[in-house]
Amino acid sequence: MPSMLHNDDLGKLILRLAVAGLILFHGAAKLMNPDSMNWIASLLARHDLPHFLAYGVLIGEVVAPVMVIVGWRARIAAIFMAGNMLVALFLAHTGELLTLKDSGGWALELQGLFLFGALALIFLGSGRMAVRPD
């Protein structure tokens, strides 16, 4: 029985599908609501960064998650997802870094899960259940 429960490749697949799949929903929302890109561009402008960098979010929330889900260059794609979350934390959530919710949870639980899940994928790779295992 314990050998059935020891399957690193299945665990990596579940992690890939969960983290990248959930990030992909955020990217799809941005594709369906192009005005959200204007909001991101305004955040960048407030930090004296060029507005065209807003389209980088589509790499981190659409292209990279699809790559991770299928398991093609998953480590590289996970770097883009983690980078995307670091930029999001810096631009939109700096004031919440040390904030707790009324329920006691961290105010940035979702962003933290995405960031640390992507970091785990960088170090773990895709596993064998992938288009191109790494």
Side-chain angles (χ1 to χ4, degrees), residues 24 40 48 54 84-85 92-93 99 101 116:
L24 185 58
I40 295 168
D48 296 322
N84 186 71
M85 291 315 306
H93 301 288
T99 305
K101 294 180 183 179
F116 296 116

Side-chain angles (χ1 to χ4, degrees), residues 89-133:
L89 288 169
F90 172 71
L91 291 179
H93 301 288
T94 306
E96 300 170 272
L97 282 174
L98 301 175
T99 305
L100 297 178
K101 294 180 183 179
D102 291 338
S103 62
W106 185 30
L108 301 176
E109 287 174 340
L110 182 63
Q111 294 84 354
L113 180 62
F114 289 161
L115 172 61
F116 296 116
L119 287 173
L121 287 166
I122 292 167
F123 292 103
L124 292 171
S126 63
R128 284 183 277 181
M129 296 179 185
V131 168
R132 184 175 180 199

Side-chain angles (χ1 to χ4, degrees), residues 24-109:
L24 185 58
F25 282 117
H26 291 266
K30 287 174 181 69
L31 289 174
M32 292 188 290
N33 181 11
D35 284 340
S36 63
M37 299 305 291
N38 294 331
W39 179 77
I40 295 168
S42 71
L43 284 175
L44 289 163
R46 279 186 244 153
H47 289 87
D48 296 322
L49 296 167
H51 68 276
F52 70 86
L53 291 177
Y55 293 98
V57 75
L58 299 177
I59 294 169
E61 292 185 6
V62 176
V63 177
V66 169
M67 291 170 64
V68 167
I69 288 168
V70 299
W72 182 74
R73 304 278 187 192
R75 289 179 198 262
I76 293 169
I79 290 171
F80 282 101
M81 292 187 330
N84 186 71
M85 291 315 306
L86 286 172
V87 170
L89 288 169
F90 172 71
L91 291 179
H93 301 288
T94 306
E96 300 170 272
L97 282 174
L98 301 175
T99 305
L100 297 178
K101 294 180 183 179
D102 291 338
S103 62
W106 185 30
L108 301 176
E109 287 174 340

